[in-house]
Amino acid sequence: MTYLHSIGEYFLMLKGVFGRMTKTSVLRNLILKEINDLIMGSMGIVAFLSFFIGAVVAIQTALNLNNPLIPKTLVAYAARQSVILEFSPTFISIIMAGKVGSYITSSIGSMRVTEQIDALEVMGINSKNYLIFPKIIAMLTYPFVIAISMFLGMSGAYTAAVLGGFVTSDQFITGLQEDFTPFHLTYAFIKTFMFAFILATVPAYHGYYMKGGALEVGEAATTSFVWTSVVLIVTNYIVTQLLLS
Amino acid sequence: MIEVKDLYKGFEGQEVLKGIDYVFERGKTNLIIGQSGSGKSVFLKCMLGLFKPDRGTIAYDGKPFSSFSDEEQRELRKEIGMLFQGGALFDSMNVEENVMFPLRMFTKQRRKEMLSRVHEVLERVNLEGTGKKMPSEISGGMQKRVAIARAIVNKPKYLFCDEPNSGLDPKTATVIDNLIQDLTHENDITTVLITHDMNSVLEIGERIAFLKDGVLAWKGTKHEIFKTKDEAVTDFVYSSDLFQKVRDAQQQGQ
C-alpha cells in the first residue's frame, strides 16, 4: 500500500509541476541556473568516466580475442556497441542518479525542512512548478551530455587500443564503421530522454515530500539514489525489450 | 480585519481546534499565545489556507476565504506577508534577492524600481549595506529582519508571524517585537503573531487570544492579562519565575 501511495503521490506531483506556471522571466533564469548546476557541473565527471570506460572496454575486448580467425576490427566494433548501447546512456545515468539525483533531493529537502517551500506556497506560488519544472527542462539537455560521453568513450577506446598496440589506427577506424545501425543511436537517445525525465523527477519527489530534519534529508538522498537507480534499470529493460527485440 | 467563526480542525479523528471565534483587528498586533500543542500553529495554517478547516469560516475583510476562487486566493496571497519561525530565507539568493523576490514574482516593476524599494525596506529594518550578503553570512537576528523586510516589501494588508523571537537573545527579540509593532501601526496592517514569549506579550500584546487544548480560553490585552483571575491563563503567564517575582513584588508594593 505504501508503494501504491508513493506512486500515486508521484503522479499527483507531476500534475502539479505542469499546473500553474511561474512568471516566464523568473522561470528563464531558473532554467539557466539549473542547466549550470545539473548539466555543466556534471561534465567533468562524465568526461573522465566515459574516457576511461571506453579505454577499459577496448583493452578487455582486445585481451580476450585469442582466436586468430577473429578480426582485430572487432575491438572497435565491440567498444562502439557497448558504449553507444549501454555504457553511455545507462551507466552514466546511474552515476548521474548519485550526483545530480542526490543534489536535487537534498536541495529540495532542505527547502522543505527550513520552511522555504511553505514560504513559496503562502506567497501563492506553485512550488512544484517553481522548483521542479526548471529541473525537467534543464535535463532535456542531458542527451548532449550523453553524446559527448559517447564521443569521449570512443576516444578512450581508440587511445587505449592503438597506443596500447592492440590494433592499428586503420583497423580501429574500420571496426568503428563496421555494421553500423543508425537506429541504435536513435534507441540510445530515446532512452536518454526518458532517463533525463526520471533523473529530474524521482529525486525531486523524494525531496519534496520528505518529512523531518537534517538527518532525514541525508536519508532521503540515499533513498532517492536507490529508487532512481531501480526506476532507471527497469525502464532500460522495458525500452530495450520494446525497441530492440 | 480577519474574522474567525466557529473554526474546527482535526487530524485522524483528533480535534485540534474546537470552535474558535475571534476577530483580528486591523492596525493592531494580535497575539495568539498558548502552550506547545494548544493548536496555535494549526490555527495559523488554517488562516493562511495551508490547512482546510473542517468547519467554520475565516473571513478576510468580510469575505470568507472558502468562497474565494483560485484567482482571488492568489490575489489575496499577494496581500499576505509571512514571517516564519526560522526566517525561511532562500539559501540560494542573497539578502537583496530574497527581499526582491515577491516584487519579481508579482509586479511588473523595472529592476531599478524594485531595487529602490528593497533598499527602502532594508533601511527600515536597519540592514543597510547587507544586500549582497548570503543568508548564511548574517546572524539569526539579522535573518529575521531580512524575513520581515521580505514580508513587508510588497506592502501587505496582513502580516503573519510564527514565533518571531524563537532562538534570539532578549535584546534582539525586543528589537524584532518593536519593529513588528511599528510596521503594523505605520502601514495599518492586520498583524497576527504566534508566541509563547511573555516578554513579547508585555511589549506588543495589544490584543491577545489564549488557546488551551484547541479552545479559545481567554482574550484581552496586555494590561488585562496580568490582572485576570482565569486559572488557565495565570498558570501559563506565571509559569516563569521572573513573572512570579514581578507579581510578588507588585503585591508587596501594594
Side-chain angles (χ1 to χ4, degrees):
Chain A
M1 281 305 285
T2 315
Y3 292 135
L4 280 178
H5 177 263
S6 297
I7 292 166
E9 208 169 41
Y10 170 77
F11 283 106
L12 283 174
M13 180 196 81
L14 290 184
K15 190 180 166 208
V17 169
F18 295 102
R20 186 161 35 84
M21 299 299 277
T22 305
K23 202 173 165 183
T24 315
S25 58
V26 176
L27 210 51
R28 191 176 52 227
N29 290 338
L30 288 171
I31 291 169
L32 291 175
K33 184 184 174 299
E34 297 295 356
I35 289 175
N36 186 49
D37 290 347
L38 304 179
I39 301 296
M40 301 309 290
S42 307
M43 286 309 296
I45 185 75
V46 169
F48 178 81
L49 289 173
S50 304
F51 187 86
F52 284 98
I53 286 170
V56 169
V57 169
I59 294 170
Q60 292 278 21
T61 312
L63 290 176
N64 285 286
L65 288 181
N66 298 322
N67 192 332
L69 294 176
I70 298 176
K72 292 284 186 191
T73 53
L74 190 69
V75 174
Y77 174 83
R80 183 195 75 203
Q81 291 299 88
S82 309
V83 168
I84 287 178
L85 292 176
E86 288 307 322
F87 282 110
S88 281
T90 313
F91 186 80
I92 294 297
S93 294
I94 302 281
I95 300 295
M96 291 288 271
K99 190 186 181 297
V100 169
S102 301
Y103 168 77
I104 291 174
T105 305
S106 54
S107 61
I108 296 179
S110 314
M111 288 186 76
R112 170 64 73 198
V113 170
T114 54
E115 295 181 309
Q116 292 175 48
I117 294 179
D118 289 338
L120 289 170
E121 291 288 332
V122 168
M123 287 182 211
I125 295 163
N126 178 358
S127 61
K128 295 184 186 96
N129 178 267
Y130 180 85
L131 294 172
I132 305 169
F133 184 76
K135 290 177 172 57
I136 295 174
I137 300 299
M139 287 303 282
L140 288 180
T141 58
Y142 181 56
F144 290 107
V145 176
I146 296 305
I148 292 168
S149 164
M150 287 173 180
F151 173 76
L152 289 172
M154 294 319 301
S155 305
Y158 177 87
T159 308
V162 177
L163 295 185
F166 298 107
V167 293
T168 63
S169 180
D170 283 347
Q171 282 172 326
F172 191 90
I173 300 295
T174 307
L176 204 58
Q177 296 171 30
E178 215 166 62
D179 289 335
F180 177 67
T181 312
F183 182 71
H184 285 172
L185 269 181
T186 310
Y187 153 80
F189 283 112
I190 286 173
K191 71 178 184 179
T192 301
F193 269 112
M194 297 174 91
F195 292 167
F197 188 77
I198 292 164
L199 283 169
T201 55
V202 175
Y205 166 78
H206 282 93
Y208 193 86
Y209 288 102
M210 68 143 299
K211 290 184 177 78
L215 184 67
E216 283 77 11
V217 174
E219 283 173 12
T222 312
T223 313
S224 148
F225 171 67
V226 171
W227 278 107
T228 308
S229 306
V230 168
V231 176
L232 284 173
I233 296 294
V234 172
T235 307
N236 187 34
Y237 169 76
I238 294 169
V239 174
T240 306
Q241 184 73 31
L242 288 175
L243 295 182
L244 292 188
S245 289
Chain B
M1 186 175 70
I2 305 170
E3 272 179 283
V4 178
K5 278 187 191 160
D6 199 29
L7 186 72
Y8 282 83
K9 177 67 187 171
F11 298 96
E12 294 169 0
Q14 194 183 348
E15 279 195 332
V16 178
L17 300 178
K18 301 164 189 169
I20 293 180
D21 289 287
Y22 195 69
V23 176
F24 296 93
E25 285 184 13
R26 191 169 172 177
K28 294 204 167 140
T29 45
N30 301 272
L31 270 57
I32 305 172
I33 61 169
Q35 290 174 339
S36 300
S38 58
K40 303 187 296 292
S41 295
V42 174
F43 189 16
L44 190 77
K45 287 187 176 176
C46 284
M47 281 195 280
L48 288 167
L50 295 176
F51 287 156
K52 196 177 173 192
D54 297 336
R55 213 165 79 200
T57 56
I58 297 162
Y60 282 81
D61 289 329
K63 192 167 182 195
F65 188 77
S66 54
S67 71
F68 282 39
S69 65
D70 284 354
E71 188 54 42
E72 283 174 324
Q73 277 192 24
R74 277 199 292 280
E75 287 304 313
L76 174 69
R77 287 185 186 287
K78 290 177 191 171
E79 297 181 332
I80 290 177
M82 173 76 198
L83 172 59
F84 285 88
Q85 197 170 349
L89 297 178
F90 301 119
D91 303 323
S92 56
M93 301 178 193
N94 65 25
V95 167
E96 203 170 80
E97 288 164 342
N98 260 290
V99 178
M100 200 193 290
F101 187 78
L103 298 176
R104 278 177 60 210
M105 295 303 289
F106 304 122
T107 70
K108 289 178 178 170
Q109 291 177 24
R110 290 163 162 248
R111 189 173 167 80
K112 204 175 167 185
E113 289 171 290
M114 287 194 276
L115 273 173
S116 160
R117 174 69 183 149
V118 167
H119 289 147
E120 192 184 315
V121 288
L122 281 177
E123 199 176 320
R124 182 63 193 83
V125 297
N126 296 321
L127 283 175
E128 310 93 316
T130 56
K132 300 294 175 202
K133 289 190 174 171
M134 297 304 282
S136 57
E137 294 170 341
I138 57 177
S139 69
M142 288 164 92
Q143 286 183 16
K144 287 276 168 72
R145 281 187 279 157
V146 174
I148 292 174
R150 185 178 68 184
I152 62 163
V153 72
N154 214 10
K155 298 180 180 170
K157 281 169 74 177
Y158 314 96
L159 178 64
F160 293 88
C161 309
D162 186 5
E163 299 192 21
N165 295 335
S166 65
L168 298 181
D169 64 87
K171 195 176 172 188
T172 311
T174 306
V175 170
I176 299 287
D177 280 342
N178 290 331
L179 183 60
I180 291 170
Q181 189 170 43
D182 292 347
L183 290 167
T184 303
H185 293 162
E186 282 166 25
N187 304 301
D188 202 22
I189 300 171
T190 306
T191 297
V192 179
L193 190 148
I194 284 186
T195 188
H196 36 219
D197 178 5
M198 288 310 297
N199 288 314
S200 295
V201 174
L202 268 176
E203 288 280 345
I204 59 168
E206 291 177 306
R207 299 195 75 246
I208 301 163
F210 175 71
L211 286 192
K212 188 173 189 324
D213 301 329
V215 175
L216 181 65
W218 183 87
K219 56 187 176 183
T221 65
K222 65 179 174 184
H223 304 296
E224 291 163 352
I225 199 166
F226 292 101
K227 292 176 186 163
T228 182
K229 303 287 181 205
D230 189 305
E231 204 176 318
V233 181
T234 53
D235 273 358
F236 178 75
V237 173
Y238 297 111
S239 56
S240 140
D241 277 356
L242 177 66
F243 283 90
Q244 277 178 24
K245 282 171 186 164
V246 170
R247 179 182 57 178
D248 294 346
Q250 280 176 341
Q251 283 171 351
Q252 279 169 10
Q254 284 169 356

